């Protein structure tokens, strides 16, 4: 059914994108990232999206170009992007440029609070092209991201 870009009827597709090393969630560094696995994050986001009548397409990659391609695909498929770019956050201008070409809401999410960590993590090249950024709230931050996106798509 024709509709707004990234929608199937009234159902919006939310692209949930994760960058490098986030496939290791729950396996290492639980003192920083907790014990939830990436599958747990996807499940929480999917449940929150479904509560708003939306659907989620999730991807994790360790490769910058693959993430750029996923953002390009989202231009035609998704109504919104929730992205944790991992360490790409801090230097990957290709991710910045790809997100800048996306028309819908973009929420940058971080599990930890990069501003409370090493100085090199204090810079985000993604934040200037995001609708908003949520950090330091763990898995709850992802739920908040879904609510924020849903409000903007309503
Ligand atoms: O806090 C976040 O969500 C980060 O985006 C996570 C990135 C880090 O580079 C950012 O500064 C902040 C790192 C992801 C690494 O994830 C791991 C998870 C478990 C074990 C090892 C790495």
């Amino acid at each position: 059914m024709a509709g707004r870009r990234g929608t199937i009827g009234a159902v919006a597709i939310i692209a949930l994108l994760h960058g490098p090393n986030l496939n290791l969630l729950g396996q290492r560094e639980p003192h920083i990232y907790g014990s939830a696995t990436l599958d747990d994050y996807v499940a929480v986001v999917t449940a929150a999206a479904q509560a708003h009548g939306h659907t989620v397409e999730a991807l994790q990659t360790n490769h910058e170009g693959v993430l750029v391609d996923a953002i390009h695909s989202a231009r035609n498929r998704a109504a919104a992007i929730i992205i944790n770019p991992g360490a790409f956050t801090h230097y990957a201008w290709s991710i910045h440029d790809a997100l800048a070409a996306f028309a819908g809401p973009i929420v940058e999410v971080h599990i930890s609070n990069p501003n409370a960590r090493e100085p090199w993590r204090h810079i985000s090249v993604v934040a200037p092209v995001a609708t908003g950024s949520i950090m330091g709230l763990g898995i709850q931050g992802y739920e908040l991201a879904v609510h924020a996106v849903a409000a903007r798509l309503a």
Side-chain angles (χ1 to χ4, degrees):
M1 185 185 304
R4 179 171 37 178
R5 181 183 295 173
T7 64
I8 307 163
V11 178
I13 297 171
I14 300 171
L16 174 63
L17 304 177
H18 282 96
N21 296 308
L22 288 159
N23 53 311
L24 298 178
L25 281 170
Q27 298 177 36
R28 290 184 46 208
E29 305 199 61
H31 56 293
I32 300 174
Y33 300 113
S35 57
T37 66
L38 183 60
D39 284 348
D40 295 331
Y41 278 81
V42 173
V44 161
V45 169
T46 300
Q50 284 174 350
H52 287 284
H54 300 318
T55 188
V56 171
E57 292 187 357
L59 174 112
Q60 185 276 330
T61 177
N62 295 321
H63 305 282
E64 186 173 338
V66 174
L67 193 52
V68 169
D69 286 343
I71 295 165
H72 290 177
S73 295
R75 295 181 69 223
N76 296 318
R77 278 197 63 73
I81 294 176
I82 297 173
I83 183 166
N84 182 343
F88 291 155
T89 303
H90 311 301
Y91 64 89
W93 290 102
S94 62
I95 307 298
H96 167 110
D97 285 347
L99 289 170
F102 183 79
I106 299 167
V107 181
E108 173 194 14
V109 182
H110 298 286
I111 298 161
S112 67
N113 178 358
N115 289 322
R117 300 177 64 189
E118 303 94 322
W120 62 269
R121 295 187 201 269
H122 298 184
I123 292 170
S124 170
V125 300
V126 169
V129 290
T131 309
S133 303
I134 298 171
M135 57 189 78
L137 301 179
I139 208 160
Q140 186 189 22
Y142 284 71
E143 286 188 280
L144 295 171
V146 173
H147 298 323
V149 155
R152 278 154 186 80
L153 296 178

